[in-house]
Amino acid sequence: MNKEIERLIDEIDLLQAAPAEEPMRQYYFIKKCRQYVKEISEKLGRPLRAATVTFGCQMNARDSEKLTGILEEIGYVEESVEEKADFVIYNTCTVRENANQRVYGRLGQLNRVKRKNPHMLIGLCGCMMQEPHVVEKLKKSYRFVDLIFGTHNIYKFAEILATRFESERMVIDIWKDTDKIVEDLPSERKYPFKSGVNIMFGCNNFCSYCIVPYVRGRERSRNPRDILREIETLVADGVKEVMLLGQNVNSYGKTLEEPMSFAELLREVEKIEGLERIRFMTSHPKDLSDELIEVMKTSRKICRHLHLPVQSGSTDILKKMNRRYTKEQYLSLVDRIKTAMPNISLTTDIIVGFPGETEADFQETLDVVQKVRYDSAFTFIYSKRTGTPAAAMENQVPQEVVKDRFDRLLKEVQKIAAEECSKHEGTTQTVLVEQMNEQDDTLVTGRLSNNLLVHFPGTKEMIGQLVDVKLISCKGFYYIGEAVK
Ligand code: SAH
Ligand code: SF4
Ligand code: F3S
């Protein structure tokens, strides 16, 4: 727990009105919530437990760490089993319809648990809550939910919770957009040795299929000083690897008062002593500069992995998707990257069945997959998102056609990924050990610079350490290795 935040909270006088300025205002409500939690906990004769469940991407996961940090400051003990928790908070995602369905399904189950534990609280936040039709549905059919808030005011979590403790009614607080970034809130990392770091919020790209710009708002970059200070603090606390997070990191800094490119930011992060590895996500191909390729090439810390979502290989479809590059531009970018860094691992996202996609368009996607030879690819079936331009497009592709293309794509992607993975057999590479192996407790699991996983004999003392490992045999998508003494 951050001692400075702790000290500031201690000094707050709850008899005074809540401060107007952030983050002091939230520290005030954290202290207030502490009292409520203490009272309930004394009544029950045990500590209160809270479970934060993340449904979405890495940015959502980072938000969840902030929620957990605030919950711990308030006095909740972290709990991984939802049914055992006194407070369950779902941090939702709405990028595809199935993400939404999962939330509704699990809410139904939670309702049954809550009937038995009436003091249980259920909170919902994240991207789904930014859609008015979702909130309407919750208000009508999910009255047992206690608090609902969105992506823009997540920093107000303690304040919203305090309101709920005081009102006994469902509390809803959703903002349409924000230009605000609140720094210095508590946060609790999932791993002691690695951490995500937001460098920007929102997205301005409006790819025609995508809901993210509507639910995450306009693009805003954090001040580089705040980012560097956060990373320095993390490193002092034992972090060896950071993942810089943004929907389109390549456009970092454009809206700052003193503009700064993403490549320049990386140069600054590289200088932080004690930091061993830098990753970032996600790179939009249209904004990936030669300056960035150069910085990656000369860096000792930036990992040899680039996630470069292509979405489709057809220039026609890319145009309809509003991606703003052609198949040829994408392939030429990949060429430049591979020429500069021959051992780089490239991964991607692909959508199958975008409206109007023909078999010929799909063949173009397969062609890109074969030419780039991705180390792995996330493949998605196009999901219609209400309010996006693509949802209103004609020629939605029939489900059975999409399914058939999806299966063919997956087969090709997996075949190539396995071939690419096996290329490293016999080499020795540095691995950051992340955890004990889940199936075999004589093994540890670590990650190579190129993001591949390797399992090798080891002990829990190795977790968080960088170890040189010989990659003995490739098992398709991961390695079995041996530490080199
Ligand atoms: N900002 C990132 C992507 C964030 S969403 C980028 O532009 O690369 C993660 C992935 O979800 C996208 O890359 C896309 O492949 C997929 N996705 C987004 N909207 C989708 C939709 N409506 N249907 C199917 N997949 C979608
Ligand atoms: Fe969505 Fe496109 Fe923004 Fe990525 S860049 S979040 S796909 S709109
Ligand atoms: Fe999902 Fe929101 Fe991320 S919609 S993918 S959690 S930004």
Side-chain angles (χ1 to χ4, degrees):
M1 231 173 266
N2 186 319
K3 288 205 182 70
E4 179 58 15
I5 297 179
E6 200 57 38
R7 189 184 64 76
L8 289 166
I9 295 176
D10 273 349
E11 281 173 10
I12 285 170
D13 179 359
L14 286 181
L15 298 173
Q16 305 274 321
E21 292 290 311
E22 301 296 357
M24 284 310 286
R25 186 175 171 85
Q26 295 316 309
Y27 298 167
Y28 175 93
F29 286 107
I30 285 175
K31 192 160 183 174
K32 220 168 183 197
C33 286
R34 258 188 210 170
Q35 289 192 333
Y36 294 118
V37 166
K38 196 161 165 256
E39 271 170 36
I40 305 172
S41 153
E42 275 166 9
K43 248 188 243 158
L44 294 174
R46 60 168 177 83
L48 293 191
R49 295 183 286 260
T52 314
V53 186
T54 309
F55 285 82
C57 61
Q58 311 224 353
M59 262 146 288
N60 246 39
R62 183 68 185 139
D63 283 345
S64 292
E65 293 186 341
K66 294 177 188 164
L67 297 171
T68 309
I70 293 171
L71 285 168
E72 291 206 349
E73 282 288 342
I74 288 174
Y76 281 98
V77 177
E78 204 177 335
E79 168 62 61
S80 53
V81 184
E82 286 164 49
E83 286 75 14
K84 287 193 198 157
D86 304 285
F87 186 9
V88 177
I89 180 134
Y90 283 170
N91 191 6
T92 62
C93 170
T94 184
V95 76
R96 285 169 291 274
E97 185 57 29
N98 52 11
N100 294 39
Q101 291 315 326
R102 271 170 56 217
V103 170
Y104 290 126
R106 283 170 73 163
L107 269 180
Q109 289 170 13
L110 267 195
N111 188 22
R112 283 190 285 282
V113 183
K114 188 172 174 169
R115 284 211 198 104
K116 285 187 235 146
N117 307 321
H119 76 278
M120 183 182 190
L121 291 180
I122 299 174
L124 290 173
C125 66
C127 296
M128 233 175 114
M129 302 306 122
Q130 292 297 136
E131 293 183 282
H133 68 90
V134 169
V135 178
E136 278 316 307
K137 179 166 172 167
L138 292 168
K139 278 206 288 203
K140 225 169 112 203
S141 315
Y142 295 79
R143 294 296 312 166
F144 56 92
V145 173
D146 296 282
L147 43 155
I148 298 178
F149 54 102
T151 55
H152 305 304
N153 56 347
I154 190 163
Y155 73 88
K156 275 184 68 185
F157 180 36
E159 184 169 348
I160 296 166
L161 183 57
T163 314
R164 173 61 186 80
F165 277 131
E166 280 156 18
S167 76
E168 294 287 316
R169 289 213 330 261
M170 187 189 234
V171 178
I172 304 179
D173 190 356
I174 313 273
W175 299 359
K176 273 215 164 78
D177 204 348
T178 185
D179 53 9
K180 204 165 166 160
I181 296 178
V182 177
E183 298 287 346
D184 297 321
L185 287 174
S187 146
E188 188 60 39
R189 290 197 309 280
K190 197 167 164 207
Y191 300 94
F193 51 86
K194 69 171 186 178
S195 180
V197 173
N198 298 111
I199 63 166
M200 57 206 298
F201 301 95
C203 181
N204 282 355
N205 288 311
F206 290 95
C207 301
S208 63
Y209 50 83
C210 183
I211 194 89
V212 171
Y214 305 89
V215 296
R216 285 273 170 180
R218 295 294 60 73
E219 188 175 291
R220 34 206 202 284
S221 295
R222 271 177 86 192
N223 197 313
R225 279 185 300 279
D226 290 327
I227 297 171
L228 295 170
R229 194 170 49 115
E230 178 177 346
I231 300 175
E232 281 160 6
T233 313
L234 288 169
V235 170
D237 196 32
V239 164
K240 300 225 165 86
E241 176 179 306
V242 290
M243 165 84 88
L244 308 179
L245 298 172
Q247 292 298 351
N248 175 13
V249 291
N250 296 332
S251 73
Y252 171 80
K254 288 187 180 148
T255 51
L256 288 170
E257 261 173 44
E258 295 168 42
M260 179 186 213
S261 71
F262 178 54
E264 283 167 326
L265 176 71
L266 281 173
R267 280 205 192 93
E268 294 304 312
V269 176
E270 172 104 17
K271 288 182 199 153
I272 296 176
E273 233 170 277
L275 179 67
E276 306 269 3
R277 281 182 165 184
I278 306 168
R279 300 185 185 275
F280 52 83
M281 249 186 140
T282 300
S283 273
H284 194 304
K286 80 176 163 60
D287 298 312
L288 200 148
S289 66
D290 287 338
E291 188 195 8
L292 176 67
I293 299 177
E294 189 54 33
V295 169
M296 284 187 82
K297 185 180 162 182
T298 49
S299 163
R300 285 185 309 106
K301 298 184 180 175
I302 302 175
C303 289
R304 285 293 173 260
H305 171 219
L306 194 61
H307 186 63
L308 197 61
V310 64
Q311 312 299 0
S312 167
S314 150
T315 296
D316 270 357
I317 295 292
L318 286 169
K319 191 155 196 298
K320 290 184 192 144
M321 286 178 161
N322 193 29
R323 289 291 287 182
R324 286 174 277 180
Y325 51 84
T326 61
K327 177 187 181 189
E328 289 68 31
Q329 283 166 333
Y330 184 89
L331 289 175
S332 121
L333 175 63
V334 166
D335 260 353
R336 271 179 284 147
I337 296 168
K338 286 194 168 178
T339 308
M341 295 165 280
N343 60 349
I344 195 150
S345 148
L346 288 177
T347 58
T348 201
D349 293 345
I350 301 172
I351 297 177
V352 184
F354 183 84
E357 184 190 74
T358 62
E359 178 59 26
D361 292 318
F362 175 67
Q363 288 300 329
E364 299 276 3
T365 301
L366 280 181
D367 187 43
V368 169
V369 167
Q370 284 151 359
K371 288 203 163 93
V372 179
R373 299 190 57 82
Y374 295 106
D375 292 77
S376 84
F378 295 101
T379 49
F380 303 111
I381 286 181
Y382 167 72
S383 169
K384 195 170 171 176
R385 306 318 288 135
T386 312
T388 62
M393 287 180 188
E394 287 174 7
N395 304 324
Q396 303 278 334
V397 185
Q399 240 180 351
E400 61 285 1
V401 176
V402 182
K403 184 76 185 62
D404 172 60
R405 285 182 196 159
F406 182 84
D407 291 345
R408 281 187 283 153
L409 176 66
L410 193 63
K411 231 168 134 186
E412 191 63 17
V413 158
Q414 288 181 341
K415 182 179 121 240
I416 294 174
E419 287 165 11
E420 287 303 305
C421 176
S422 69
K423 276 185 177 171
H424 309 280
E425 213 166 78
T427 62
T428 296
Q429 300 198 24
T430 308
V431 166
L432 178 62
V433 182
E434 298 200 338
Q435 57 193 42
M436 294 306 293
N437 185 292
E438 279 162 7
Q439 272 91 44
D440 180 344
D441 63 6
T442 64
L443 300 178
V444 292
T445 299
R447 205 174 281 275
L448 307 180
S449 170
N450 68 14
N451 216 32
L452 281 175
L453 289 179
V454 52
H455 308 288
F456 63 99
T459 56
K460 67 174 189 311
E461 288 71 34
M462 284 176 164
I463 294 173
Q465 303 295 321
L466 287 154
V467 180
D468 285 339
V469 175
K470 182 163 184 195
L471 307 178
I472 309 277
S473 66
C474 177
K475 303 282 177 197
F477 304 102
Y478 63 89
Y479 271 96
I480 296 294
E482 211 172 79
V484 179
K485 300 278 165 356

